[in-house]
Amino acid sequence: MFEWTKNNDALGTVNRGIPCESGLCTLCDSACKGKCETWLSCLEGRKMLYPRKFGYITSGAANVTSVGVGYHALRIQGYAYGSNGIPANLTDNPDDCIFTNISLETEFGLEMKTKNRMPIMTGALGSTFVAARYWPSFAVGAALCGIPIVVGENVVGVDKASVLEKGRIKSAPELERRIQYFERYYDGYGAIIVQMNVEDTRNGVAEYLIDKYGNNVIIELKWGQGAKDIGGEIQVKQLENAQFLKDRGYIVDPDPYDPVVIQAFKNKAISSFARHSRLGATNKHNVEAVREDFMSSIAYLRKLGFKRITLKTGAYGMENLAIAIRFAADAKLDLLTIDGAGGGTGMSPWNMMQHWGIPSLALHAKAYEYCEILKNRGITPPDISFAGGFAREDHLFKALSLGAPYTKMVCLGRAPMIAGFLGSNIEGTFFPERKAQLNGHWDTLPASVSEYGIYPEEIFTMWENVKNRVGAEEMKHIPFGAIAMCGYADKLAGGLQQFMAGARKFNLNELTRNDLISANRETTDVTGIPFMTDALDAEAKAVLMA
């Protein structure tokens, strides 16, 4: 198994745990005191694009040889002349063709377009307690950044305050709280997307949403994810809560009503229970049956009034991938998110994350191939978002280019959550009376933060930017985690603009697979992206022979 380095001396970053390809640790602790690249980016923003200690050092790349197949084995092509996709108000003069003039705005959808300031969205933040605890930071941050945020499955079902009558929702305080945080700062960019699984469908989530919010929300159906191919799960430590969830219709393991289990819990031999969701389509045994059921579900949602419907699918094999792409195209869905293994989540079986499903690069390469097949048959493929182990600006460029022109978004799962953790911990040190409410872990600022400042205005690069946008009075309502997310997004935006400028692409729509090269021939075999010395080799020889 390939092992990633724990520290980057050039950037001054370090992983306290074992890092994975995204640069995040395999276990990301909300109490962490840093300093991985994403963690520091939340404070320093685009300054993290550059090596530290400028003026006293020189720095050289360590990644010049790639082993194995993955996004790490794709490299970004650069060009020494030309410019493409220049905005109408600019020229090809070098004074205009600067990276800061590159617009990262994008949109997805059919009848009702969803505009975004950047081509990123969050992963699904559902019924895990991490999502609920840090939701204000996540939602406000997404709204300020102008990107979509996804409310994951089961939020209504696990909410003890929600009211269900005859199996249908009448009141859903937690779901309403999540939507309201986003709506307060929504300004026309981004969106709030609400997922549904089997239990959510039974509970009437769709009917509740359309009645209360109309098309201010996007509804999303879900077929698995990159971390697991079973239903979603959470862990609860109270017997009463486990019994409540079983009464709500969930699978709870072990059975909280089994007398033997109850006694084992009293003896402290059992300390927690896992709540699971059901598998979908267990009663469908061929593609046509799945198609009929899916199209019926979409027709029902359309009849309710939903104009924006999306689908999230996981790291299943090729037939299931083709089903998702074809059905999404035929149903005229607004977005299809394709999530590769090994995923990132709050609670998935560890060895399932390690060993099930198709890793991101291979899955995404096939998604492009299948979209091309549909296009060549005269069928318009859906707008697509790629997910699965992304956290840096190079990931964004590679994912958008690999799937171009179909990829409109890149879905970031765990990485934006770090902003919520970090911001809440910092805010709790300044406002100890709110520490418990914020789910902060720190009593004082650690050295890893105080080296950047001792006041919020010093610590967060994007503090003044956010203040200028919302006003000084409103700043007291902005979670520090949301400001941290703006810092992280600023670093991603600056880095993506720089990569695009080097590729001479001044508009996201200009990105193509020609902007990528493979660093080894195995990656060429999987993706169809040419090996680096084969790319443009014919054009090079034409120059020499002229």
Side-chain angles (χ1 to χ4, degrees), residues 144 185 465-475 478:
L144 292 175
Y185 300 98
N465 183 285
V466 174
K467 179 181 174 182
N468 181 64
R469 179 171 170 186
V470 303
E473 182 64 23
E474 188 64 23
M475 277 299 282
I478 303 294

Side-chain angles (χ1 to χ4, degrees), residues 111-128:
E111 177 185 350
M112 186 175 175
K113 296 288 187 181
T114 300
K115 298 189 301 181
N116 312 282
R117 286 198 174 88
M118 291 179 61
I120 62 173
M121 59 189 289
T122 76
L125 301 161
S127 58
T128 62

Side-chain angles (χ1 to χ4, degrees), residues 246-363:
K246 182 159 187 178
D247 293 341
R248 274 274 165 97
Y250 289 105
I251 302 162
V252 180
D253 181 41
D255 184 351
Y257 283 108
D258 184 333
V260 175
V261 172
I262 293 173
Q263 187 58 52
F265 181 81
K266 290 179 179 178
N267 295 343
K268 299 184 179 180
I270 292 175
S271 59
S272 63
F273 300 84
R275 182 235 65 195
H276 290 265
S277 300
R278 288 167 177 77
L279 296 171
T282 56
N283 58 339
K284 306 297 181 287
H285 300 287
N286 56 61
V287 174
E288 281 309 310
V290 175
R291 179 186 178 85
E292 181 180 353
D293 182 67
F294 181 74
M295 293 303 178
S296 176
S297 298
I298 298 301
Y300 177 71
L301 293 174
R302 299 281 189 209
K303 185 177 179 181
L304 287 177
F306 284 104
K307 293 183 178 180
R308 294 184 292 177
I309 305 173
T310 64
L311 174 65
K312 164 77 175 294
T313 188
Y316 298 113
M318 297 306 102
E319 184 191 46
N320 284 251
L321 174 63
I323 286 172
I325 294 172
R326 178 61 192 268
F327 291 5
D330 291 347
K332 300 188 183 305
L333 299 190
D334 291 86
L335 189 71
L336 169 63
T337 298
I338 301 172
D339 191 3
T345 184
M347 185 186 171
S348 286
W350 172 248
N351 284 317
M352 183 174 286
M353 282 195 286
Q354 291 285 80
H355 296 288
W356 104 271
I358 312 300
S360 298
L361 183 68
L363 189 72

Side-chain angles (χ1 to χ4, degrees), residues 75 77 79 513-514 516-525 527-542:
R75 296 187 68 85
Q77 183 76 281
Y79 303 93
R513 288 163 61 89
N514 292 332
L516 299 176
I517 49 178
S518 292
N520 58 50
R521 298 191 183 276
E522 189 179 6
T523 300
T524 295
D525 290 341
T527 64
I529 300 295
F531 182 65
M532 48 193 170
T533 55
D534 293 336
L536 298 178
D537 186 53
E539 291 81 352
K541 290 173 179 173

